[in-house]
Amino acid sequence: MRELISKVVMLGSQAVGKTSVILRLKGSRFDKHVSPTIGASYCACKVNLGHMEVKMQVWDTAGQERFRAMAPLYYRNTNAAILVYDITSYSSFVDLKSWVEELNGNVDNPLVLCLLGNKHDLEDRREVPTEEAFNFAASIGAVFQETSAYQNTGVEEAFYEVAVRISRLC
Ligand code: GDP
Ligand code: MG
């Protein structure tokens, strides 16, 4: 079977659930080694598309997202970016606009984008309407999915779709 190796970066404000989402990826194993040059670590996971296996190195931040900027090395050779916000925090959704700008400033190659509205289990505290997020995703050509890392819903579906788009890109 054809095998594709890709790099995926997680972006979004602190505490939206980026690390929790990664820990839900099937077959994920975290590389505990944190790169001293990038200050980030990655998790290896794979998605089987039938005709092809997409291996993803999913890079996670180590807290430096609180400075609202990542080292340029974090973005090098990236094939996809997962933009995460918390549905109970409108500001975490607004923050994504600056993350998209930072992404565009650091990556010139074609990219698969995915917008994740995490903490879907906290519906009673929702601040971000689904429709507004859906429209934002459409405006940047991103896959859109509401997820709950807590209840483990939506994560597999979103990464499957990202793998499909990566396979079309590469
Ligand atoms: P990060 O800073 O973006 O990596 O966020 P973390 O993964 O560290 O999560 C921040 C906090 O949100 C932790 O207390 C998590 O347990 C919590 N959290 C993450 N995902 C969910 C979710 O889907 N639902 C709920 N209720 N809490 C979550
Ligand atoms: Mg984290």
Side-chain angles (χ1 to χ4, degrees):
M1 203 190 310
R2 226 184 113 197
E3 196 181 272
L4 203 70
I5 295 173
S6 60
K7 178 180 171 184
V8 179
V9 296
M10 301 296 284
L11 292 176
S13 297
Q14 209 170 18
V16 294
K18 298 181 297 298
T19 302
S20 303
V21 163
I22 290 183
L23 292 173
R24 287 302 192 184
L25 290 176
K26 202 167 168 190
S28 73
R29 61 186 161 77
F30 236 111
D31 187 344
K32 288 195 194 74
H33 174 76
V34 173
S35 159
T37 43
I38 318 184
S41 59
Y42 75 86
C43 159
C45 72
K46 47 189 171 187
V47 174
N48 190 333
L49 298 180
H51 62 296
M52 191 191 290
E53 190 165 70
V54 180
K55 289 194 169 170
M56 297 192 261
Q57 284 189 350
V58 186
W59 285 82
D60 190 20
T61 62
Q64 67 276 59
E65 71 273 32
R66 67 182 178 276
F67 305 117
R68 301 270 180 112
M70 299 296 298
L73 261 179
Y74 187 71
Y75 297 101
R76 184 180 282 176
N77 299 327
T78 292
N79 304 107
I82 315 291
L83 302 156
V84 189
Y85 67 96
D86 170 352
I87 70 152
T88 73
S89 161
Y90 197 79
S91 65
S92 75
F93 176 65
V94 172
D95 284 351
L96 287 181
K97 301 206 165 96
S98 59
W99 284 110
V100 170
E101 279 167 24
E102 162 146 328
L103 191 60
N104 289 336
N106 281 281
V107 184
D108 331 313
N109 53 291
L111 262 189
V112 173
L113 295 179
C114 173
L115 181 67
L116 294 186
N118 191 42
K119 308 199 187 181
H120 186 35
D121 54 290
L122 303 176
E123 186 59 47
D124 51 336
R125 285 168 42 197
R126 177 189 288 275
E127 287 184 4
V128 184
T130 303
E131 198 187 347
E132 192 174 341
F134 179 89
N135 290 338
F136 175 58
S139 76
I140 59 171
V143 172
F144 173 59
Q145 181 81 46
E146 289 191 338
T147 57
S148 167
Y150 178 65
Q151 291 179 328
N152 196 12
T153 55
V155 177
E156 297 257 346
E157 292 90 329
F159 277 81
Y160 186 88
E161 188 55 33
V162 168
V164 168
R165 294 207 186 182
I166 288 174
S167 75
R168 289 184 190 143
L169 201 74
C170 300

